[in-house]
């Protein structure tokens, strides 16, 4: 097989956060596959075909990429942030599992700066101690599992980073998330809302847990919940490196 698939992360939005490795892959590609707004971030040029597709068709997209690679094309599948974080890399391997000769494919995963790390950097160092990342979307897992993980992470003293906090299809869900957190954590725990980080629409907000409201988050927001020691210094939020 002469074709290949590279699954690339475009970072949180700022062009300066696209790695040289990802740029080189896009320069070498014949085809780019991905969700419409991510493909829109790729510069058009002669010899490059863009294949934007709608949300929630990840497996179709992955199979399309594999088929094109098998036909000799050089395909970049784009994700925002990092492709391995709630994104296309895992979808590609799910599609690969159904192929008779998975080892015949030339596949590479090119990391990117995930929204969690870009948001944390803009806030200070809220993930300076142990933390976990939770996808609040219940498209691919039951709500009961999300609730269980929220409670256990809170009880474990982890700082938490939430992806996909809100969707039009799940009105009221983030309200429930806040309720669960308030049952498990102290009122003065800090919660940060980092929206559209590294883009012109960026907005950062940090409040106490008892002041947080669901409308502080939307689908372009990373929510970062501090641990019991997370504190403010000047305009920064940080979690000390030590814990008792
Ligand atoms: N693979 C992506 C995450 C995809 S899930 C990554 O690694 O970043 C999509 C969610 O990521 C959004 O709902 C939002 O919670 C978060 N997100 C993506 N880009 C963001 C940005 N620039 N600022 C804040 N949150 C962002």
């Amino acid at each position: 097989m002469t074709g290949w698939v590279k699954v690339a992360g475009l970072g949180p939005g700022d062009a300066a956060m696209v790695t040289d490795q990802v740029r080189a892959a896009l320069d070498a590609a014949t085809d780019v596959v991905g969700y419409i707004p991510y493909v829109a971030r790729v510069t058009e040029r002669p010899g490059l075909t863009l294949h934007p597709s709608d949300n929630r068709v990840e497996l179709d997209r992955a199979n399309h990429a594999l088929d094109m690679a098998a036909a000799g094309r050089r395909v970049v599948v784009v994700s925002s942030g990092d492709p391995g974080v709630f994104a296309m890399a895992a979808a590609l391997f799910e599609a690969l599992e159904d192929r008779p000769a998975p080892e015949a494919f030339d596949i590479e995963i090119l990391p990117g700066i995930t929204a969690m790390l870009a948001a944390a950097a803009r806030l200070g160092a809220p993930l300076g101690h142990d933390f976990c990342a939770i996808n609040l979307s219940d498209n691919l897992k039951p709500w009961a599992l999300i609730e269980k993980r929220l409670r256990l992470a809170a009880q474990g003293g982890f700082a938490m980073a939430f992806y996909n906090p809100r969707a039009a299809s799940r009105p009221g869900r983030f309200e429930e998330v806040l309720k669960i957190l308030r049952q498990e954590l102290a009122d003065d725990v800090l919660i940060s809302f980092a929206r559209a980080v590294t883009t012109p629409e960026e907005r950062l907000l940090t409040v106490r847990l008892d002041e947080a409201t669901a409308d502080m988050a939307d689908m372009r927001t990373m929510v970062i919940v501090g641990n019991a020691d997370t504190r403010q210094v000047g305009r920064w939020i940080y979690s000390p490196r030590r814990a008792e």
Side-chain angles (χ1 to χ4, degrees), residues 30-243:
T30 56
D31 298 86
V32 171
V33 172
Y35 178 39
I36 299 158
Y38 307 154
V39 173
R41 287 169 56 187
V42 175
T43 312
E44 294 190 66
R45 63 170 163 78
L48 181 67
T49 308
L50 303 180
H51 306 270
S53 48
D54 210 342
N55 216 353
R56 298 201 188 183
V57 292
E58 288 89 355
L59 268 188
D60 296 346
R61 211 183 274 149
N63 277 308
H64 186 203
L66 291 173
D67 290 342
M68 286 194 287
R73 315 278 303 174
R74 299 186 297 277
V75 186
V76 176
V77 180
V78 289
S79 284
S80 76
D82 181 273
V85 179
F86 311 130
M88 280 304 296
L92 188 88
F93 292 120
E94 284 172 35
L96 192 66
E97 274 183 333
D98 292 333
R99 302 281 167 146
E103 59 288 342
F105 286 91
D106 178 353
I107 293 172
E108 200 180 357
I109 310 300
L110 310 181
I113 297 176
T114 189
M116 170 180 75
L117 298 184
R122 300 293 290 130
L123 292 162
L127 307 177
H129 196 62
D130 297 342
F131 66 89
C132 66
I134 301 178
N135 184 351
L136 294 183
S137 166
D138 60 0
N139 287 344
L140 299 171
K141 65 185 166 190
W143 166 250
L145 183 59
I146 298 175
E147 173 167 355
K148 176 179 165 187
R149 289 185 176 161
L150 284 172
R151 289 193 190 281
L152 292 177
Q155 288 164 20
F158 291 97
M160 292 171 246
F162 300 147
Y163 288 79
N164 292 309
R166 284 187 86 179
S169 57
R170 293 174 271 128
R173 264 298 153 75
F174 191 64
E175 208 95 54
E176 283 180 64
V177 169
L178 289 174
K179 211 167 87 190
I180 291 164
L181 294 175
R182 288 191 186 110
Q183 288 166 3
E184 302 289 345
L185 297 169
D187 285 348
D188 63 354
V189 160
L190 295 177
I191 178 167
S192 299
F193 298 86
R195 180 172 190 278
V197 289
T198 82
T199 79
E201 293 89 51
E202 178 176 295
R203 197 199 62 206
L204 305 174
L205 173 69
T206 298
V207 297
R208 288 162 48 112
L209 184 55
D210 59 0
E211 295 164 349
T213 55
D215 61 1
M216 292 175 179
D218 67 6
M219 274 314 273
R220 296 186 70 194
T221 304
M222 263 319 297
V223 180
I224 297 187
V225 182
N227 64 31
D229 297 319
T230 302
R231 59 188 83 158
Q232 286 181 285
V233 51
R235 66 180 178 89
W236 305 102
I237 310 296
Y238 89 106
S239 300
R241 294 167 300 150
R242 289 182 186 77

